[in-house]
């Protein structure tokens, strides 16, 4: 009985944790991409504004 519980826990944890980690990875990588794009847009806008002032 105890072996079955231990085996169930050992096999059940990865089945629960791996999909959660995958979704977390997708969310974090998406956020990082949005931040990168926003920084690039800000740099482009700053360079355009600098050219217009000069």
């Amino acid at each position: 009985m105890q072996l079955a519980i231990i085996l169930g826990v050992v096999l059940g944890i990865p089945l629960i944790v791996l999909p959660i980690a995958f979704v977390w990875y997708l969310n974090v990588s998406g956020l990082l991409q949005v931040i990168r794009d926003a920084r690039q847009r800000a740099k482009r806008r700053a360079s355009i504004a600098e050219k217009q002032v000069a």
Side-chain angles (χ1 to χ4, degrees):
M1 180 69 181
Q2 289 180 353
L3 179 64
I5 293 172
I6 292 171
L7 187 61
V9 169
V10 168
L11 294 176
I13 288 175
L15 289 175
I16 294 169
V17 171
L18 286 176
I20 292 171
F22 181 66
V23 170
W24 180 83
Y25 168 76
L26 291 175
N27 285 334
V28 169
S29 63
L31 286 173
L32 291 175
Q33 186 63 40
V34 167
I35 291 169
R36 269 190 228 116
D37 292 344
R39 286 183 180 170
Q40 287 178 352
R41 274 196 311 273
K43 285 180 185 179
R44 267 188 265 128
R45 287 179 183 166
S47 67
I48 291 171
E50 185 178 296
K51 288 177 184 177
Q52 289 177 348
V53 171

